[in-house]
Amino acid sequence: MKIKHVTKIIAIFLFSLHICCSKEKDQNKPKDIPIEKYKKEILMNGNIDAYKQLTLYYLNSPFHNETLPYSILMADKYNNGDACHEIFVQIIGLKQAPGTQHYDLSIFNKLNKGEKEYVLFYLKKGAKLKDIGCIVALRDLGISDK
């Protein structure tokens, strides 16, 4: 029950953040990539290829965490293991210094109890879905995927 509540809070926060910053973001994005098409495909159909394209587009962008609501949707509604791992990466990334390229696993210990429960929920779900990223992250954290 707590996980669903935390999920809703994060989704609302990110949606609000998205609306507040959308004008500035639009000015910085290349116009030739059909990002809105990818977003629509994810929302309407759970399109895995569109999700992968969206995460690739934002990978080296200062707006990397814009994909978090789409990752939550893909993990919850479409049981996508890669999205479960991406949630973990993005939550860890929120706690890292801006511009950091790779997530630092030690940041997990700096998360509060609710954040730890939240990311562990998705890592364990992803491990059950046989996502290698989730399995490796759990192993590296010394946590059983059961």
Side-chain angles (χ1 to χ4, degrees):
M1 193 62 116
K2 290 181 183 179
I3 298 297
K4 287 184 180 181
H5 181 68
V6 172
T7 302
K8 288 179 184 176
I9 290 172
I10 289 175
I12 291 169
F13 169 75
L14 291 171
F15 179 73
S16 300
L17 184 64
H18 174 70
I19 290 188
C20 291
C21 301
S22 65
K23 288 182 182 177
E24 179 183 329
K25 289 178 191 175
D26 288 342
Q27 293 171 356
N28 296 327
K29 292 179 191 173
K31 303 294 182 202
D32 58 343
I33 299 176
I35 296 305
E36 296 308 316
K37 178 183 172 191
Y38 295 150
K39 290 178 179 181
K40 184 177 179 182
E41 277 296 309
I42 294 165
L43 292 172
M44 302 302 289
N45 305 313
N47 185 314
I48 293 171
D49 291 330
Y51 175 71
K52 288 178 183 179
Q53 290 299 319
L54 188 70
T55 55
L56 284 173
Y57 175 78
Y58 285 112
L59 184 63
N60 293 318
S61 164
F63 311 112
H64 175 70
N65 287 353
E66 187 167 317
T67 60
L68 186 56
Y70 299 96
S71 297
I72 293 168
L73 175 74
M74 290 298 289
D76 288 346
K77 187 173 181 181
Y78 300 106
N79 292 315
N80 182 280
D82 186 46
C84 293
H85 183 257
E86 190 63 24
I87 292 168
F88 169 72
V89 170
Q90 290 180 33
I91 298 294
I92 293 294
L94 288 171
K95 302 290 184 172
Q96 289 185 175
T100 306
Q101 290 296 323
H102 300 286
Y103 69 89
D104 180 358
L105 218 54
S106 69
I107 290 178
F108 176 80
N109 295 324
K110 297 177 184 176
L111 299 177
N112 67 41
K113 183 181 177 187
E115 291 167 331
K116 285 181 182 178
E117 289 175 1
Y118 187 76
V119 296
L120 284 175
F121 170 82
Y122 284 107
L123 284 177
K124 289 178 180 180
K125 180 176 182 170
K128 287 179 185 173
L129 295 168
K130 309 284 189 232
D131 180 74
I132 191 68
C134 292
I135 294 167
V136 169
L138 285 169
R139 184 200 65 205
D140 290 349
L141 290 169
I143 298 170
S144 170
D145 62 349
K146 302 202 181 342

